[in-house]
Amino acid sequence: MMQVADLKVSFYAGRKEYPVIRSVSFEIRQEEILGLVGESGSGKSMTALALMGLLPAGAKAGGKIGFGGKILTPGNESDWSGVRGREIGMVFQEHAACLNPVMKIGRQICESLEVNGIASGTTAIKKTRRLLERFGIEPSKLRFEQYPHQLSGGLRQRVMLALALACEPRLLIADEPTTALDLTIQAQILDLLYETVREKSTSLLLITHDLGVVARMADRVLVMYAGKIVEKGSVVDIFRAPGHPFTKLLLESTPRLDRTLKKGAHILENEQVWENRGCFFAPRCTKRRKICVSTVPELVEIHKSHFVSCFNCKESI
Amino acid sequence: MTEPLLLTNKVSAQYLIDSKKIAIKAVDGVSLQLFSSGSLGLVGESGCGKTTLGRLIAGLLKPSDGSVMFRGRPVVPGQHLPDLQMVFQDPYSSLNPRISIQGQLEEGLRNFRLGDRAMRLQRINEALVSVDMPSDCLSSYPHQLSGGQLQRICLARTLVLRPKLLVLDEPTSALDAPVQSQLLALLLSLIDEYGLSYIIISHNLAVIRQVCDSVAVMYLGRLIEVGPVAKVFNSPRHFYTAMLLDSYLPPDPLLRKNKTSVKGTLPNPLKPPAGCRFHPRCSHAVTRCRTTPPLLREVVDDHFCACHFSG
């Protein structure tokens, strides 16, 4: 469905290169929900922007993205025309910033349908009404005429979903879609998102730092650390048999209702290590060995379709 | 019987909007008590008044009705107390970007005219050790530290004053999970080290479960359930608490819930529903719920609930 090969993104300060994504390869399969997790600064959001062809100015990109028979080159934005918004939809965390504040929400959805040649005139209006109802933005007649500021955060995020899925894209990229919302609203939005992508056979790339959200939604999971994928596998493998020490750290440190905090656990903070010849996680790792600081670990299959890049893990098989 | 460290007596706060013509009661007659070395979690959806209650307790807001008593004395806004301190959600905006870390830590001691220079430095160094920060960070400025480090500085800034009660408003929601759990572990160790009590305001139920021994659930300005955290979370008596707990997503795909029982949103606080304020979202509501507001009463030992069905 989508093949990402050797994706790299760097920024430059003067002549110095600061890589934010260092050679990432993965695929998004037909009708699957793929979770992408990591800490802030790990390159999750930059990956989303690269897949959308929306990298910020000044970013230098490399690699190739294969999508539905086309080759999209990161950094070459024109490759995405006719794809972005039409075949790849997107939802961001900042629902307030993503809606036009001076345009009625119904109009914004109509515009998307018209621009992408799905419907026009009264057909577009009727279709928009149906979308508003489908996404629980009711009463649809009233909501159609309202501006974003007249809606609550939860409703605005529903509008964002309706807008992203209006053209029935084959792939939806959602970057922290429920992070700013209350738990009660989050639960309702995730239900809606899950039902819709399953019903329409849409693939979903779900980016989040919240392991609870990933466990609720994903079929497969990618774990990112310092711009690299350090582990990938099925959601059950990642949560029940994590291989990489960073994945284990994330799981252990996520507060849970059914387990109390381990006292005295000393956890080093996320230090931005720009130059390192070995494993980027080595400075925080409790099982660090000589090889970890000298050689870069490869992503290896430790179990069927479960990949980990850690020297300690490789030995254990 | 020992005197509670903190006692709020039917405290209320209102905000005036629309040219002061309309009043929104953000906190409506809340009575709570906290004993020494206690830790209380305050949970609820955004807009339920939990932050306003925290500000009332910390003396940052004047109650429109009722009172807040701390160590037997009323808390008066404007008269700040060194032993009652607050930590805010965003460490970046609560520190002055132009003052060094040492300056930030010393400011409180100077404002309260506590100690001489040597004693202030000693307190600062002790506080840094308590929050697990190296002493060479003293000459740094906020932009040179990470979010987790800044939040620990914010905590150290209150510890130099030897507080008896800390009010922490969403202290970890801006932090990544590993940094969050480190800060929470730190907080637990401070209870013994400083004889500290704290109130944590959070929407994250799991955080409250980890570090609090009692919990108060708020809905639209009122307390609807209060009790020991294990009792409230394992056998909630209020349907709203049960709904909140159902919205929690366990980080385990084998415990996946495919359909939530959660419905609706917080109603408009300008027109709070009559009777039980939760009745429009409650699937068990009967006529009595629509007309008579339930009172907060003790259902079992130390476990209070405001629901007609909780008895």
Side-chain angles (χ1 to χ4, degrees):
Chain A
M1 156 103 218
M2 182 181 251
Q3 293 279 345
V4 180
D6 197 22
L7 176 69
K8 287 177 185 158
V9 176
S10 298
F11 286 89
Y12 285 86
R15 279 199 181 164
K16 196 155 165 47
E17 184 188 5
Y18 291 95
V20 288
I21 301 175
R22 323 159 195 253
S23 185
V24 159
S25 303
F26 63 92
E27 83 277 0
I28 305 173
R29 299 175 191 158
Q30 203 80 42
E31 299 182 31
E32 85 167 338
I33 301 182
L34 179 65
L36 175 58
V37 294
E39 291 175 300
S40 40
S42 61
K44 310 188 292 288
S45 292
M46 207 49 78
T47 304
L49 293 176
L51 301 192
M52 291 298 319
L54 288 175
L55 285 170
K60 205 174 166 302
K64 285 222 165 352
I65 297 168
F67 179 72
K70 287 191 205 76
I71 297 288
L72 310 168
T73 314
N76 190 7
E77 294 224 343
S78 56
D79 286 2
W80 269 266
S81 62
V83 174
R84 189 194 303 128
R86 176 69 190 84
E87 295 191 46
I88 309 179
M90 53 194 156
V91 181
F92 298 104
Q93 180 182 348
E94 301 288 329
H95 42 77
C98 295
L99 292 169
N100 185 340
V102 294
M103 198 173 183
K104 290 172 180 167
I105 58 153
R107 206 50 248 148
Q108 299 194 37
I109 296 174
C110 280
E111 187 186 59
S112 166
L113 293 171
E114 282 162 7
V115 167
N116 289 303
I118 306 278
S120 60
T122 46
T123 336
I125 294 174
K126 272 188 198 148
K127 205 165 158 51
T128 300
R129 286 258 179 82
R130 275 205 303 276
L131 274 165
L132 291 176
E133 276 157 28
R134 172 79 188 77
F135 286 88
I137 310 157
E138 290 169 301
S140 63
K141 206 172 171 182
L142 167 78
R143 299 300 185 196
F144 190 98
E145 303 291 333
Q146 283 186 317
Y147 292 93
H149 76 269
Q150 292 171 300
L151 306 181
S152 67
L155 271 180
R156 276 204 292 257
Q157 199 56 289
R158 284 174 191 262
V159 173
M160 285 299 303
L161 279 183
L163 198 53
L165 293 168
C167 303
E168 302 194 359
R170 286 190 288 163
L171 170 66
L172 178 68
I173 298 176
D175 188 0
E176 304 275 7
T178 56
T179 302
L181 304 173
D182 265 316
L183 285 185
T184 49
I185 311 297
Q186 167 172 286
Q188 298 175 56
I189 299 272
L190 291 180
D191 277 2
L192 178 64
L193 184 58
Y194 191 84
E195 280 164 20
T196 317
V197 295
R198 289 298 194 219
E199 187 190 309
K200 302 278 179 195
S201 305
T202 313
S203 302
L204 170 65
L205 176 66
L206 179 67
I207 299 170
T208 177
H209 70 282
D210 187 333
L211 292 185
V213 172
V214 178
R216 155 75 181 88
M217 302 285 287
D219 303 315
R220 280 197 312 135
V221 180
L222 307 173
V223 182
M224 224 171 158
Y225 187 79
K228 290 195 96 163
I229 290 172
V230 295
E231 183 160 3
K232 66 175 172 185
S234 75
V235 67
V236 176
D237 281 345
I238 297 283
F239 281 80
R240 282 296 171 119
H244 198 278
F246 174 63
T247 315
K248 291 178 190 165
L249 172 67
L250 273 187
L251 279 164
E252 276 165 21
S253 61
T254 299
R256 298 175 61 140
L257 278 183
D258 55 358
R259 210 172 57 195
T260 48
L261 198 67
K262 270 193 199 157
K263 272 195 191 178
H266 187 78
I267 297 146
L268 272 168
E269 280 200 33
N270 182 6
E271 286 169 44
Q272 297 292 351
V273 191
W274 299 114
E275 281 159 297
N276 188 333
R277 275 175 302 158
C279 170
F280 290 109
F281 188 67
R284 292 170 84 184
C285 188
T286 48
K287 298 206 174 98
R288 180 177 57 230
R289 294 183 296 153
K290 238 183 196 160
I291 188 171
C292 301
V293 286
S294 60
T295 318
V296 180
E298 295 285 319
L299 208 55
V300 273
E301 194 164 11
I302 58 159
H303 178 67
K304 197 170 169 283
S305 312
H306 184 183
F307 295 80
V308 181
S309 77
C310 175
F311 291 116
N312 285 323
C313 208
K314 205 153 76 176
E315 263 192 5
S316 64
I317 33 171
Chain B
M1 169 128 179
T2 48
E3 189 188 18
L5 180 72
L6 175 86
L7 184 73
T8 72
N9 184 18
K10 290 187 183 150
V11 71
S12 301
Q14 56 182 27
Y15 294 111
L16 297 171
I17 57 162
D18 209 4
S19 321
K20 304 200 172 175
K21 275 181 284 191
I22 305 167
I24 293 187
K25 266 206 167 166
V27 175
D28 191 2
V30 169
S31 298
L32 262 182
Q33 56 182 21
L34 182 69
F35 289 92
S36 195
S37 297
S39 48
L40 172 74
L42 215 50
V43 292
E45 289 166 281
S46 20
C48 74
K50 55 189 194 300
T51 293
T52 305
L53 182 59
R55 296 175 69 89
L56 284 170
I57 291 169
L60 297 175
L61 198 68
K62 195 172 177 292
S64 58
D65 213 350
S67 63
V68 179
M69 305 288 280
F70 174 64
R71 301 176 92 182
R73 289 219 182 103
V75 172
V76 182
Q79 292 178 17
H80 301 299
L81 303 168
D83 45 6
L84 173 57
Q85 291 291 316
M86 188 151 179
V87 176
F88 300 92
Q89 176 175 358
D90 182 4
Y92 295 96
S93 57
S94 47
L95 292 169
N96 186 329
R98 295 176 56 162
I99 298 181
S100 71
I101 299 304
Q102 176 162 1
Q104 316 260 9
L105 294 174
E106 213 176 339
E107 201 176 17
L109 289 166
R110 278 210 221 130
N111 287 349
F112 286 109
R113 298 180 202 287
L114 294 172
D116 53 17
R117 206 177 148 67
M119 182 257 199
R120 289 205 288 258
L121 262 179
Q122 194 198 335
R123 282 250 181 127
I124 288 171
N125 282 315
E126 280 169 21
L128 282 183
V129 172
S130 300
V131 299
D132 207 6
M133 285 287 288
S135 55
D136 58 13
C137 73
L138 283 176
S139 54
S140 309
Y141 284 83
H143 73 271
Q144 294 169 302
L145 301 180
S146 70
Q149 289 173 326
L150 288 180
Q151 197 57 298
R152 280 187 275 156
I153 293 298
C154 286
L155 201 55
R157 180 168 68 161
T158 65
L159 293 179
V160 295
L161 300 169
R162 295 284 186 274
K164 286 284 159 251
L165 177 62
L166 273 186
V167 180
L168 303 114
D169 190 357
E170 301 275 9
T172 59
S173 42
L175 307 175
D176 280 319
V179 186
Q180 164 172 285
S181 73
Q182 190 182 19
L183 198 86
L184 295 176
L186 192 69
L187 205 54
L188 279 177
S189 70
L190 294 176
I191 298 185
D192 299 331
E193 195 180 339
Y194 285 82
L196 191 69
S197 307
Y198 54 78
I199 295 177
I200 292 192
I201 299 164
S202 180
H203 68 280
N204 190 333
L205 301 166
V207 166
I208 302 277
R209 182 80 183 87
Q210 311 288 311
V211 292
C212 294
D213 45 43
S214 53
V215 59
V217 186
M218 281 184 86
Y219 191 76
L220 219 60
R222 289 186 184 159
L223 286 183
I224 55 117
E225 186 159 3
V226 186
V229 76
K231 276 190 192 168
V232 174
F233 281 14
N234 293 338
S235 48
R237 294 301 183 113
H238 201 287
F239 294 117
Y240 177 63
T241 312
M243 194 173 104
L244 265 189
L245 286 165
D246 193 60
S247 71
Y248 162 77
L249 300 172
D252 187 341
L254 300 183
L255 302 175
R256 186 182 280 195
K257 305 170 214 171
N258 270 333
K259 185 79 189 161
T260 173
S261 68
V262 177
K263 56 176 194 177
T265 51
L266 213 59
N268 184 352
L270 279 173
K271 295 176 218 136
C276 172
R277 291 185 167 185
F278 182 61
H279 86 254
R281 291 168 82 181
C282 186
S283 45
H284 301 265
V286 294
T287 316
R288 182 153 63 124
C289 305
R290 297 184 190 99
T291 52
T292 320
L295 297 174
L296 193 70
R297 57 204 167 86
E298 195 163 9
V299 277
V300 281
D301 295 344
D302 294 330
H303 190 164
F304 297 80
C305 181
C307 173
H308 291 307
F309 290 95
S310 68

